[in-house]
Amino acid sequence: MANPPIVKPIDYADASPEVRAVYDDIMATRKTDWINNFWKVLAHDPAQLKRVWEGLKAVMAPGALDPLTKELIYVAVSATNGCEYCSYSHTAAARAKGMSEAMLMELLAVVGMANETNRLANGLRPPVDTAFLPKG
Amino acid sequence: MANPPIVKPIDYADASPEVRAVYDDIMATRKTDWINNFWKVLAHDPAQLKRVWEGLKAVMAPGALDPLTKELIYVAVSATNGCEYCSYSHTAAARAKGMSEAMLMELLAVVGMANETNRLANGLRPPVDTAFLPKG
Amino acid sequence: MANPPIVKPIDYADASPEVRAVYDDIMATRKTDWINNFWKVLAHDPAQLKRVWEGLKAVMAPGALDPLTKELIYVAVSATNGCEYCSYSHTAAARAKGMSEAMLMELLAVVGMANETNRLANGLRPPVDTAFLPKG
Amino acid sequence: MANPPIVKPIDYADASPEVRAVYDDIMATRKTDWINNFWKVLAHDPAQLKRVWEGLKAVMAPGALDPLTKELIYVAVSATNGCEYCSYSHTAAARAKGMSEAMLMELLAVVGMANETNRLANGLRPPVDTAFLPKG
Amino acid sequence: MANPPIVKPIDYADASPEVRAVYDDIMATRKTDWINNFWKVLAHDPAQLKRVWEGLKAVMAPGALDPLTKELIYVAVSATNGCEYCSYSHTAAARAKGMSEAMLMELLAVVGMANETNRLANGLRPPVDTAFLPKG
Amino acid sequence: MANPPIVKPIDYADASPEVRAVYDDIMATRKTDWINNFWKVLAHDPAQLKRVWEGLKAVMAPGALDPLTKELIYVAVSATNGCEYCSYSHTAAARAKGMSEAMLMELLAVVGMANETNRLANGLRPPVDTAFLPKG
C-alpha cells in the first residue's frame, strides 16, 4: 500500500464554490466526469489550483506544436525527473491522445540517450561549437 | 573565455583510422563537412565514440516518431538537466530540422510547466488514480 | 507494501554503545522517545551516523535563520529532488515547528515556480545582468 | 566571454505594445527602471511572458510566508538545480530584500545538508515512519 | 502494493525469437537462469532491448576499471538520481560482485558529500582554479 | 570571462585565525601550499568551512574503499549533477591520485549508461524483482 498523500484529496462534494469552478472547467475541457488526484491535493490552495490549471490549459492547447507532441514532451520531462505520479498520469494522457506503444518506446529511447549524452558533455566539457551559436 | 575542455578535442587530421571511420559516418549521415566538439572529446575512447554515435544514429532515425519530434524531446531533456553544451547543440539541430522560434518557445513552456507540476506532485504525493494504471 | 529497506534498520535494543550514544543525543535534542528509520539505517556505519547527525544538528540550529525557515528550505529541496522519505519526514518536522497548511501550499508554489523558471533560463541562456553581479 | 543567449533579448525600445505592458508592470511592481534579461528572452512569446510574470508576481507576494522567505526558497531551489542565471538573479533579489551574508551562508548549509541526506535516503530506502504519515 | 508497470513485462515463454536471443545472451553472460523486469519491459522494443543490453555489456566489462568499481559507480549515480528500481537492482549486483556492507556505507557517504558540495559550489560559484584546468 | 563568484574568495592573508587553522589543515592533509577557491568562498562561514572540510577529510580517507575509488565516485556524481566547478576540481584530484585517461573515459561511459537506464526504469516502472530485495 502506497503512503497516504501529504494533504488529503478534496472531492467535488466537499469542495468550495471556488474549487468547484476549477473542477468544472477541468472536466469540461477534458470532456470527462472525474477529477484526478493531482488537482484534488492542489485544491488546498484554491488560488494556486486556478493558476496552475489555467497555465496548463494554455500551455497544452494546440499552437505551433500539436497537443500530442506536447504530451510526449511532458512524459519525457517526467521520466527525466523521476516523478512517479507524473509518469503514470501523462503516459495515460498521451495514450488517450493517440500515442502508440511504439511511440512510447521510441520516446523513452530518446530520453535515455539524451540523459546519457548530457552527462558525457557535463563530464568532458567540450566548448560550444561556433556553428551552434545563435547569430546576433 | 570559457574553461578549456577536460580532454582535448581530437581533430580529423590527428585521428586514428578507427576514429576517422566514425567521423566519416557522422559527416555522411548528417551531410556536413565538419565534426562538432562533443564527438572530438569522446574520441579519446574510440569504442565509446562508435557505440554512442551508432546508438544516437539508430535512436534519432525516423520511426514511429519523426526526427523533428525526437529533436524537440532532446532539447526538452537538455533544458531540464541544465546541460549547456546540449542546449546549444540540440537547439541548433532542431532549428536545422525545421523548428521555428514559436515552436521553441512553446516547447520550453511545456518543459517549464512539467518541471513545475512534477515538484508539486513530489511535494504533495497524490496517489496514482486507478484510471491511470495500465491494465494487466 | 513498500519494498524493504536496502539495509535493515537497527533498533535501540540491538545497537552498539556508539550508536546508542547518537540515538540518545537525537532523542534528547528533539525531546522525543523514538528514533526514525533514516538514522536506523545509517547506523550501519556508526561514524557516518555520528557525523551526519552532528552536522544536521549544527546546521538546523537557530542562527541567522530560524529553525522553521530552515525546515521549509529542507522541504523545498526534498520536493525538488523527489525524495519520498524526505518529503514525508521534513513536512512532518516543519508542521511540528509551526508550518500551517497555507504555508506548505505557498512553499510548494514557490518551489514549482522556481523549477519552472530554472528550466526556462537553462533553455534560453540569458546572460547574467551586470546589476546582478557581485561587486568585487 | 559567455556564449550568446539562444534567443536575442528584446529591449523595451523594440518591444510590441503587448510586451511593453508586461515590462511596465514588472518595473512598477519592482520599483525599478530596467528589465532583466530573463524577461527579455521570454518576450519572444508574449503570452508566455505575461503568464509567467503574473504567476511569479502572485506566488512571490506576501501571504502565509513573507517575501524574503520566499526568495530564500527560490535561491535554495536554484542552487539544487544548478541554474547559473537563477543563482545570480535570485541571490541579488534576496539581498535586496534583506538577506545578509550570514543568512546566505546558512541557507546554503541547509541546501547542502538536504542534498546529502536526500541521497542517503534514496540509496538506503528506509520505510517512511508511521509517525510521519498524515492522518486520514 | 506497488503500482503496476507502465508496460507489461514480457516473459521468455511469450517472447519473440529476437527478444529470446537477447534474453539468452543476458543469462549466458550473467550465468543466471532468469531475466529481471527491467529487460522484460524494455522488450516491447526489441531493437532498443538489444542496443541497451549490448551497450551495458560492453561498458560494464573489465577494462581500465574493474567490474566491481563500475558497479559502485552505477549505485552512486542511481542514488543521486533517486531511481528506486536501479538502487535495488544495482546494489544487489554490487553485492554479488563482492561489495561488503562497509563498502556500501562508505560509497553512500561519498555520494552524500558530493551532492552536498556540488550545491555549495552551484550556490557560491567559485571560479575554477587555474591549477585544475587541463593543459592545452 | 566567467561571472565573478557570488561571495568573494578569502585569501590566507586576509583570513581570521579560525579560517587559517582550517586552511593549514587542508594544506597539511593534501601536502600542497595553496587553497582552492571552493574553500575560499566557504570561508565566509568559518563554522561551515570547518564542518564541511572535516566531513570531507573523514569521508575521503582510506577505508573499505581506497581514495582513488572514492574520487572516481565524486567525479561520477559531479557529472550527473552537472556541477562545472566540481567536474574540474575532482577530475584533477582523481588524476593526481592515479586516474588515467582510459579510466576517466570508462568512468564516464558508466555514468552515461546509468543515467540512461535510470530514466528507462523511471519511464516504464518495472516492479523490483524479488531476487533483488534484501532479506529481512
Side-chain angles (χ1 to χ4, degrees):
Chain A
M1 208 171 61
N3 294 314
I6 283 180
V7 295
K8 201 178 169 176
I10 297 176
D11 287 327
Y12 192 93
D14 305 317
S16 67
E18 199 180 353
V19 167
R20 282 189 184 184
V22 178
Y23 284 4
D24 286 337
D25 190 43
I26 293 173
M27 292 189 287
T29 303
R30 296 185 164 172
K31 301 185 203 317
T32 57
D33 61 356
W34 63 289
I35 297 293
N36 57 302
N37 285 325
F38 176 78
W39 304 111
K40 286 183 181 175
V41 292
L42 209 55
H44 284 263
D45 181 347
Q48 187 178 177
L49 172 70
K50 183 174 158 65
R51 180 183 58 77
V52 175
W53 161 249
E54 292 184 351
L56 189 78
K57 186 167 67 164
V59 165
M60 300 303 278
L65 299 176
D66 63 274
L68 174 55
T69 299
K70 291 182 171 184
E71 202 67 51
L72 297 175
I73 292 163
Y74 227 108
V75 172
V77 171
S78 300
T80 296
N81 286 330
C83 179
E84 182 176 8
Y85 183 87
C86 317
S87 282
Y88 281 97
S89 61
H90 288 282
T91 303
R95 281 171 166 155
K97 288 178 181 166
M99 180 182 70
S100 66
E101 190 175 276
M103 291 165 76
L104 171 64
M105 296 307 292
E106 283 196 22
L107 163 65
L108 291 175
V110 178
V111 168
M113 184 61 67
N115 273 288
E116 180 179 26
T117 62
N118 278 196
R119 270 59 181 213
L120 294 173
N122 282 343
L124 294 172
R125 299 272 154 188
V128 178
D129 307 81
T130 308
F132 292 152
L133 295 177
K135 309 299 171 285
Chain B
M1 210 172 60
N3 294 313
I6 283 181
V7 297
K8 203 179 167 175
I10 298 176
D11 285 329
Y12 191 93
D14 305 317
S16 67
E18 200 181 354
V19 166
R20 282 189 183 184
V22 177
Y23 284 4
D24 286 337
D25 191 43
I26 293 172
M27 291 188 288
T29 303
R30 295 184 166 173
K31 301 185 201 318
T32 59
D33 61 356
W34 64 289
I35 297 292
N36 57 301
N37 285 326
F38 177 78
W39 304 110
K40 286 185 180 174
V41 292
L42 209 55
H44 284 263
D45 181 348
Q48 188 177 175
L49 172 70
K50 184 174 156 65
R51 179 182 59 77
V52 175
W53 162 248
E54 292 185 350
L56 189 78
K57 186 167 67 163
V59 164
M60 300 304 279
L65 299 175
D66 63 275
L68 174 55
T69 299
K70 290 181 171 184
E71 203 66 53
L72 297 176
I73 292 164
Y74 227 109
V75 172
V77 171
S78 300
T80 296
N81 286 330
C83 179
E84 181 175 8
Y85 183 88
C86 318
S87 282
Y88 281 97
S89 61
H90 288 282
T91 302
R95 281 171 166 154
K97 288 179 180 165
M99 181 183 70
S100 65
E101 190 174 275
M103 290 165 78
L104 171 63
M105 296 307 292
E106 282 196 21
L107 163 64
L108 291 174
V110 178
V111 168
M113 183 61 65
N115 272 287
E116 180 179 27
T117 62
N118 280 195
R119 270 59 180 213
L120 294 174
N122 281 343
L124 293 173
R125 299 274 156 188
V128 178
D129 307 81
T130 308
F132 291 154
L133 295 177
K135 309 300 172 287
Chain C
M1 208 171 62
N3 294 313
I6 282 181
V7 297
K8 202 179 167 175
I10 297 176
D11 286 327
Y12 192 94
D14 304 318
S16 68
E18 199 180 352
V19 167
R20 282 190 183 183
V22 178
Y23 284 4
D24 286 337
D25 191 44
I26 292 172
M27 292 189 289
T29 303
R30 296 185 166 173
K31 302 185 202 317
T32 58
D33 61 356
W34 64 288
I35 297 293
N36 57 302
N37 285 325
F38 177 78
W39 305 110
K40 287 184 180 173
V41 292
L42 209 56
H44 284 263
D45 182 347
Q48 187 177 176
L49 172 70
K50 184 173 157 65
R51 180 182 59 77
V52 175
W53 162 248
E54 293 185 351
L56 189 78
K57 187 168 67 164
V59 166
M60 300 304 278
L65 299 176
D66 64 275
L68 175 55
T69 299
K70 291 182 171 185
E71 203 67 51
L72 297 176
I73 292 164
Y74 226 108
V75 172
V77 171
S78 300
T80 296
N81 286 330
C83 178
E84 182 176 7
Y85 183 87
C86 318
S87 282
Y88 281 97
S89 60
H90 288 281
T91 303
R95 281 171 165 156
K97 288 178 182 165
M99 180 182 71
S100 65
E101 192 174 274
M103 291 166 76
L104 172 63
M105 296 308 292
E106 282 196 22
L107 163 65
L108 291 174
V110 178
V111 168
M113 183 63 65
N115 273 288
E116 180 179 27
T117 62
N118 279 196
R119 270 59 182 214
L120 294 174
N122 281 343
L124 293 172
R125 298 273 155 189
V128 178
D129 307 80
T130 308
F132 292 153
L133 295 177
K135 310 299 171 283
Chain D
M1 209 171 62
N3 295 312
I6 284 182
V7 297
K8 203 180 167 173
I10 297 176
D11 286 327
Y12 192 94
D14 305 317
S16 67
E18 198 180 353
V19 166
R20 282 188 183 185
V22 178
Y23 284 3
D24 286 337
D25 191 44
I26 292 173
M27 292 188 288
T29 303
R30 295 183 167 173
K31 304 184 200 316
T32 59
D33 61 356
W34 63 289
I35 297 292
N36 57 302
N37 285 325
F38 177 79
W39 304 110
K40 287 185 180 173
V41 292
L42 209 55
H44 284 263
D45 181 347
Q48 187 177 176
L49 172 70
K50 184 174 156 67
R51 180 182 59 77
V52 175
W53 162 249
E54 292 185 350
L56 189 79
K57 187 167 67 163
V59 164
M60 301 304 278
L65 299 175
D66 63 276
L68 174 56
T69 299
K70 290 181 171 185
E71 203 65 53
L72 296 176
I73 292 164
Y74 226 107
V75 172
V77 171
S78 300
T80 296
N81 286 331
C83 178
E84 183 176 7
Y85 183 87
C86 317
S87 282
Y88 280 97
S89 60
H90 288 282
T91 302
R95 281 171 166 156
K97 288 179 181 164
M99 180 182 70
S100 65
E101 190 175 275
M103 290 165 78
L104 172 63
M105 296 306 292
E106 282 196 23
L107 163 65
L108 291 175
V110 178
V111 168
M113 183 62 64
N115 272 288
E116 180 179 28
T117 61
N118 279 195
R119 272 56 182 216
L120 294 174
N122 282 343
L124 294 172
R125 298 276 155 187
V128 178
D129 306 81
T130 309
F132 291 153
L133 295 177
K135 309 301 171 284
Chain E
M1 207 171 61
N3 295 313
I6 283 181
V7 296
K8 201 179 167 175
I10 297 177
D11 287 326
Y12 192 94
D14 305 318
S16 67
E18 200 180 353
V19 166
R20 282 189 184 185
V22 178
Y23 284 3
D24 286 337
D25 191 43
I26 292 172
M27 291 188 288
T29 303
R30 296 185 165 172
K31 303 184 201 317
T32 58
D33 61 356
W34 63 289
I35 297 293
N36 56 303
N37 285 325
F38 176 78
W39 304 111
K40 287 185 180 174
V41 292
L42 210 55
H44 284 264
D45 181 347
Q48 187 177 175
L49 172 70
K50 184 174 157 64
R51 181 182 59 78
V52 175
W53 161 249
E54 291 184 351
L56 189 79
K57 186 167 67 163
V59 165
M60 300 304 278
L65 299 175
D66 63 275
L68 174 54
T69 299
K70 291 182 171 185
E71 202 67 52
L72 296 176
I73 293 164
Y74 227 108
V75 172
V77 171
S78 300
T80 296
N81 286 330
C83 178
E84 181 175 8
Y85 183 87
C86 317
S87 282
Y88 280 97
S89 60
H90 287 281
T91 303
R95 281 171 167 156
K97 288 178 182 166
M99 179 182 70
S100 65
E101 191 174 275
M103 291 166 76
L104 171 63
M105 296 307 293
E106 283 196 21
L107 163 65
L108 291 175
V110 178
V111 168
M113 184 63 63
N115 272 288
E116 180 179 27
T117 61
N118 278 196
R119 270 58 181 214
L120 295 174
N122 281 344
L124 293 172
R125 299 274 155 187
V128 178
D129 306 81
T130 309
F132 291 154
L133 295 178
K135 310 299 171 287
Chain F
M1 209 172 60
N3 294 313
I6 284 183
V7 296
K8 201 179 168 176
I10 297 176
D11 285 326
Y12 192 94
D14 305 318
S16 67
E18 198 179 355
V19 166
R20 282 189 183 185
V22 178
Y23 284 4
D24 286 337
D25 190 44
I26 293 173
M27 292 189 288
T29 303
R30 295 183 166 174
K31 303 185 201 316
T32 58
D33 62 356
W34 63 290
I35 297 292
N36 56 302
N37 286 325
F38 176 78
W39 304 112
K40 287 184 181 174
V41 292
L42 210 55
H44 284 264
D45 181 348
Q48 187 176 176
L49 172 70
K50 185 173 156 64
R51 180 182 59 77
V52 175
W53 162 249
E54 292 186 350
L56 189 79
K57 187 167 67 162
V59 164
M60 300 304 279
L65 299 175
D66 63 274
L68 175 54
T69 299
K70 290 181 172 184
E71 203 67 53
L72 297 175
I73 293 164
Y74 226 108
V75 173
V77 171
S78 300
T80 296
N81 286 331
C83 178
E84 182 175 7
Y85 182 87
C86 317
S87 282
Y88 281 97
S89 61
H90 288 281
T91 302
R95 281 171 166 155
K97 289 179 181 166
M99 180 182 70
S100 65
E101 190 173 277
M103 289 165 77
L104 172 63
M105 297 307 292
E106 283 196 22
L107 164 63
L108 291 175
V110 178
V111 168
M113 184 62 65
N115 273 287
E116 180 179 28
T117 61
N118 279 196
R119 271 59 182 213
L120 294 174
N122 281 344
L124 294 172
R125 299 274 155 186
V128 178
D129 306 80
T130 308
F132 291 153
L133 295 177
K135 309 300 172 286

